[in-house]
Amino acid sequence: MQDEPTPTELIKAVADFLRSEITPAIKGHNAFKLRVGINALDLVTRQLALAEMSDTAEAARLKQLLGVDGSLMELNRALSDKIANGEVDRTTPGLSEHLWQSTMDKLAVDQPNYASYKRELDK
């Protein structure tokens, strides 16, 4: 166990520093590349904060849906295979809900400012 600051706090501090102190001084294509880097740091921060909980929930839904155990990757592969083989489709109980929640969880990390995502959160 390490002392503070946590990895998340460090990444956020670097992103905030780059955003507030460095971005105003950079122009042109380098400013674009800097924004890409800041966005990547922000994404990693969200992933560290949200991934474990959403991965655990996704695995639990998949285990219930498929009736088997395995790693998240194995369970997703099994679901993909069942969909591809026609064993599972949109009428399968729980499938649509699982896919929807998995999509929302991924958007929370990858694109939390996406307009459609925000609209769905407000429902």
Side-chain angles (χ1 to χ4, degrees):
M1 181 170 181
Q2 298 294 316
D3 295 327
E4 293 185 2
T6 66
T8 300
E9 291 168 335
L10 287 170
I11 294 167
K12 184 177 179 335
V14 170
D16 290 345
F17 168 74
L18 292 172
R19 190 179 290 111
S20 64
E21 301 293 326
I22 305 301
T23 299
I26 305 293
K27 303 290 181 225
H29 189 66
N30 284 334
F32 169 76
K33 292 190 288 187
L34 178 61
R35 286 192 307 276
V36 169
I38 292 168
N39 288 341
L41 292 171
D42 289 340
L43 188 144
V44 170
T45 300
R46 291 188 302 271
Q47 193 167 29
L48 288 170
L50 302 173
E52 184 176 348
M53 184 173 56
S54 65
D55 286 355
T56 299
E58 181 180 1
R61 288 191 309 271
L62 283 165
K63 287 174 186 176
Q64 182 176 8
L65 187 65
L66 298 170
V68 296
D69 202 358
S71 70
L72 183 57
M73 186 177 289
E74 292 166 339
L75 292 167
N76 272 308
R77 172 56 55 205
L79 178 61
S80 296
D81 290 346
K82 287 184 178 289
I83 291 171
N85 294 333
E87 297 172 52
V88 173
D89 63 24
R90 64 187 174 124
T91 63
T92 301
L95 178 62
S96 293
E97 295 82 3
H98 164 71
L99 294 174
W100 183 256
Q101 188 58 55
S102 295
T103 299
M104 294 298 287
D105 290 348
K106 290 178 189 321
L107 285 171
V109 171
D110 189 52
Q111 294 292 326
N113 294 318
Y114 184 54
S116 296
Y117 170 74
K118 288 177 143 183
R119 264 195 313 276
E120 289 302 317
L121 286 180
D122 292 338
K123 286 185 179 180

